[in-house]
mmCIF file with all atom_site columns, all heavy atoms in Angstrom:
data_model
loop_
_atom_site.group_PDB
_atom_site.id
_atom_site.type_symbol
_atom_site.label_atom_id
_atom_site.label_alt_id
_atom_site.label_comp_id
_atom_site.label_asym_id
_atom_site.label_entity_id
_atom_site.label_seq_id
_atom_site.pdbx_PDB_ins_code
_atom_site.Cartn_x
_atom_site.Cartn_y
_atom_site.Cartn_z
_atom_site.occupancy
_atom_site.B_iso_or_equiv
_atom_site.pdbx_formal_charge
_atom_site.auth_seq_id
_atom_site.auth_comp_id
_atom_site.auth_asym_id
_atom_site.auth_atom_id
_atom_site.pdbx_PDB_model_num
ATOM 1  N N   . LYS A 1 3  ? 58.327 -101.835 10.394 1.00 0.00 ? 825 LYS A N   1
ATOM 2  C CA  . LYS A 1 3  ? 57.076 -102.558 10.173 1.00 0.00 ? 825 LYS A CA  1
ATOM 3  C C   . LYS A 1 3  ? 56.789 -103.448 11.386 1.00 0.00 ? 825 LYS A C   1
ATOM 4  O O   . LYS A 1 3  ? 57.720 -103.885 12.058 1.00 0.00 ? 825 LYS A O   1
ATOM 5  C CB  . LYS A 1 3  ? 57.202 -103.442 8.922  1.00 0.00 ? 825 LYS A CB  1
ATOM 6  C CG  . LYS A 1 3  ? 57.437 -102.644 7.652  1.00 0.00 ? 825 LYS A CG  1
ATOM 7  C CD  . LYS A 1 3  ? 57.523 -103.552 6.443  1.00 0.00 ? 825 LYS A CD  1
ATOM 8  C CE  . LYS A 1 3  ? 58.941 -104.004 6.166  1.00 0.00 ? 825 LYS A CE  1
ATOM 9  N NZ  . LYS A 1 3  ? 59.118 -104.764 4.929  1.00 0.00 ? 825 LYS A NZ  1
ATOM 10 N N   . ASN A 1 4  ? 55.514 -103.712 11.629 1.00 0.00 ? 826 ASN A N   1
ATOM 11 C CA  . ASN A 1 4  ? 55.145 -104.587 12.747 1.00 0.00 ? 826 ASN A CA  1
ATOM 12 C C   . ASN A 1 4  ? 55.203 -106.037 12.258 1.00 0.00 ? 826 ASN A C   1
ATOM 13 O O   . ASN A 1 4  ? 54.487 -106.422 11.330 1.00 0.00 ? 826 ASN A O   1
ATOM 14 C CB  . ASN A 1 4  ? 53.718 -104.218 13.218 1.00 0.00 ? 826 ASN A CB  1
ATOM 15 C CG  . ASN A 1 4  ? 53.239 -105.068 14.378 1.00 0.00 ? 826 ASN A CG  1
ATOM 16 O OD1 . ASN A 1 4  ? 53.802 -106.121 14.675 1.00 0.00 ? 826 ASN A OD1 1
ATOM 17 N ND2 . ASN A 1 4  ? 52.186 -104.605 15.042 1.00 0.00 ? 826 ASN A ND2 1
ATOM 18 N N   . ILE A 1 5  ? 56.043 -106.860 12.884 1.00 0.00 ? 827 ILE A N   1
ATOM 19 C CA  . ILE A 1 5  ? 56.234 -108.242 12.429 1.00 0.00 ? 827 ILE A CA  1
ATOM 20 C C   . ILE A 1 5  ? 54.951 -109.079 12.521 1.00 0.00 ? 827 ILE A C   1
ATOM 21 O O   . ILE A 1 5  ? 54.778 -110.048 11.793 1.00 0.00 ? 827 ILE A O   1
ATOM 22 C CB  . ILE A 1 5  ? 57.411 -108.924 13.211 1.00 0.00 ? 827 ILE A CB  1
ATOM 23 C CG1 . ILE A 1 5  ? 57.813 -110.273 12.593 1.00 0.00 ? 827 ILE A CG1 1
ATOM 24 C CG2 . ILE A 1 5  ? 57.083 -109.096 14.691 1.00 0.00 ? 827 ILE A CG2 1
ATOM 25 C CD1 . ILE A 1 5  ? 58.579 -110.210 11.326 1.00 0.00 ? 827 ILE A CD1 1
ATOM 26 N N   . TYR A 1 6  ? 54.024 -108.672 13.406 1.00 0.00 ? 828 TYR A N   1
ATOM 27 C CA  . TYR A 1 6  ? 52.772 -109.446 13.573 1.00 0.00 ? 828 TYR A CA  1
ATOM 28 C C   . TYR A 1 6  ? 51.708 -109.069 12.532 1.00 0.00 ? 828 TYR A C   1
ATOM 29 O O   . TYR A 1 6  ? 50.602 -109.577 12.580 1.00 0.00 ? 828 TYR A O   1
ATOM 30 C CB  . TYR A 1 6  ? 52.186 -109.219 14.973 1.00 0.00 ? 828 TYR A CB  1
ATOM 31 C CG  . TYR A 1 6  ? 53.088 -109.690 16.086 1.00 0.00 ? 828 TYR A CG  1
ATOM 32 C CD1 . TYR A 1 6  ? 53.829 -108.781 16.835 1.00 0.00 ? 828 TYR A CD1 1
ATOM 33 C CD2 . TYR A 1 6  ? 53.207 -111.045 16.389 1.00 0.00 ? 828 TYR A CD2 1
ATOM 34 C CE1 . TYR A 1 6  ? 54.664 -109.200 17.858 1.00 0.00 ? 828 TYR A CE1 1
ATOM 35 C CE2 . TYR A 1 6  ? 54.033 -111.480 17.408 1.00 0.00 ? 828 TYR A CE2 1
ATOM 36 C CZ  . TYR A 1 6  ? 54.759 -110.548 18.135 1.00 0.00 ? 828 TYR A CZ  1
ATOM 37 O OH  . TYR A 1 6  ? 55.579 -110.981 19.145 1.00 0.00 ? 828 TYR A OH  1
ATOM 38 N N   . ASP A 1 7  ? 52.085 -108.192 11.608 1.00 0.00 ? 829 ASP A N   1
ATOM 39 C CA  . ASP A 1 7  ? 51.119 -107.704 10.620 1.00 0.00 ? 829 ASP A CA  1
ATOM 40 C C   . ASP A 1 7  ? 50.971 -108.614 9.404  1.00 0.00 ? 829 ASP A C   1
ATOM 41 O O   . ASP A 1 7  ? 50.195 -108.306 8.512  1.00 0.00 ? 829 ASP A O   1
ATOM 42 C CB  . ASP A 1 7  ? 51.578 -106.323 10.095 1.00 0.00 ? 829 ASP A CB  1
ATOM 43 C CG  . ASP A 1 7  ? 50.727 -105.195 10.635 1.00 0.00 ? 829 ASP A CG  1
ATOM 44 O OD1 . ASP A 1 7  ? 49.542 -105.436 10.898 1.00 0.00 ? 829 ASP A OD1 1
ATOM 45 O OD2 . ASP A 1 7  ? 51.255 -104.081 10.797 1.00 0.00 ? 829 ASP A OD2 1
ATOM 46 N N   . TYR A 1 8  ? 51.721 -109.728 9.370  1.00 0.00 ? 830 TYR A N   1
ATOM 47 C CA  . TYR A 1 8  ? 51.803 -110.478 8.122  1.00 0.00 ? 830 TYR A CA  1
ATOM 48 C C   . TYR A 1 8  ? 51.340 -111.925 8.218  1.00 0.00 ? 830 TYR A C   1
ATOM 49 O O   . TYR A 1 8  ? 51.664 -112.626 9.188  1.00 0.00 ? 830 TYR A O   1
ATOM 50 C CB  . TYR A 1 8  ? 53.265 -110.469 7.611  1.00 0.00 ? 830 TYR A CB  1
ATOM 51 C CG  . TYR A 1 8  ? 53.757 -109.062 7.409  1.00 0.00 ? 830 TYR A CG  1
ATOM 52 C CD1 . TYR A 1 8  ? 54.423 -108.377 8.439  1.00 0.00 ? 830 TYR A CD1 1
ATOM 53 C CD2 . TYR A 1 8  ? 53.498 -108.398 6.218  1.00 0.00 ? 830 TYR A CD2 1
ATOM 54 C CE1 . TYR A 1 8  ? 54.824 -107.061 8.277  1.00 0.00 ? 830 TYR A CE1 1
ATOM 55 C CE2 . TYR A 1 8  ? 53.901 -107.086 6.049  1.00 0.00 ? 830 TYR A CE2 1
ATOM 56 C CZ  . TYR A 1 8  ? 54.563 -106.424 7.076  1.00 0.00 ? 830 TYR A CZ  1
ATOM 57 O OH  . TYR A 1 8  ? 54.944 -105.122 6.906  1.00 0.00 ? 830 TYR A OH  1
ATOM 58 N N   . LEU A 1 30 ? 57.695 -116.745 16.737 1.00 0.00 ? 852 LEU A N   1
ATOM 59 C CA  . LEU A 1 30 ? 56.699 -115.761 17.189 1.00 0.00 ? 852 LEU A CA  1
ATOM 60 C C   . LEU A 1 30 ? 55.488 -116.423 17.835 1.00 0.00 ? 852 LEU A C   1
ATOM 61 O O   . LEU A 1 30 ? 55.023 -115.994 18.900 1.00 0.00 ? 852 LEU A O   1
ATOM 62 C CB  . LEU A 1 30 ? 56.186 -114.921 16.007 1.00 0.00 ? 852 LEU A CB  1
ATOM 63 C CG  . LEU A 1 30 ? 57.167 -113.987 15.307 1.00 0.00 ? 852 LEU A CG  1
ATOM 64 C CD1 . LEU A 1 30 ? 56.510 -113.376 14.074 1.00 0.00 ? 852 LEU A CD1 1
ATOM 65 C CD2 . LEU A 1 30 ? 57.623 -112.878 16.262 1.00 0.00 ? 852 LEU A CD2 1
ATOM 66 N N   . GLN A 1 57 ? 59.482 -104.139 13.898 1.00 0.00 ? 879 GLN A N   1
ATOM 67 C CA  . GLN A 1 57 ? 59.259 -103.928 15.324 1.00 0.00 ? 879 GLN A CA  1
ATOM 68 C C   . GLN A 1 57 ? 58.609 -105.203 15.874 1.00 0.00 ? 879 GLN A C   1
ATOM 69 O O   . GLN A 1 57 ? 57.623 -105.679 15.345 1.00 0.00 ? 879 GLN A O   1
ATOM 70 C CB  . GLN A 1 57 ? 58.292 -102.729 15.487 1.00 0.00 ? 879 GLN A CB  1
ATOM 71 C CG  . GLN A 1 57 ? 58.071 -102.254 16.892 1.00 0.00 ? 879 GLN A CG  1
ATOM 72 C CD  . GLN A 1 57 ? 59.285 -101.541 17.464 1.00 0.00 ? 879 GLN A CD  1
ATOM 73 O OE1 . GLN A 1 57 ? 60.021 -100.865 16.749 1.00 0.00 ? 879 GLN A OE1 1
ATOM 74 N NE2 . GLN A 1 57 ? 59.514 -101.736 18.753 1.00 0.00 ? 879 GLN A NE2 1
ATOM 75 N N   . ILE A 1 58 ? 59.190 -105.757 16.933 1.00 0.00 ? 880 ILE A N   1
ATOM 76 C CA  . ILE A 1 58 ? 58.631 -107.000 17.478 1.00 0.00 ? 880 ILE A CA  1
ATOM 77 C C   . ILE A 1 58 ? 57.897 -106.749 18.799 1.00 0.00 ? 880 ILE A C   1
ATOM 78 O O   . ILE A 1 58 ? 57.040 -107.521 19.211 1.00 0.00 ? 880 ILE A O   1
ATOM 79 C CB  . ILE A 1 58 ? 59.748 -108.080 17.620 1.00 0.00 ? 880 ILE A CB  1
ATOM 80 C CG1 . ILE A 1 58 ? 59.145 -109.475 17.816 1.00 0.00 ? 880 ILE A CG1 1
ATOM 81 C CG2 . ILE A 1 58 ? 60.726 -107.753 18.717 1.00 0.00 ? 880 ILE A CG2 1
ATOM 82 C CD1 . ILE A 1 58 ? 60.135 -110.595 17.672 1.00 0.00 ? 880 ILE A CD1 1
#
Side-chain angles (χ1 to χ4, degrees):
K825 297 181 270 186
N826 180 344
I827 190 74
Y828 298 103
D829 253 330
Y830 302 92
L852 294 173
Q879 187 72 34
I880 195 168

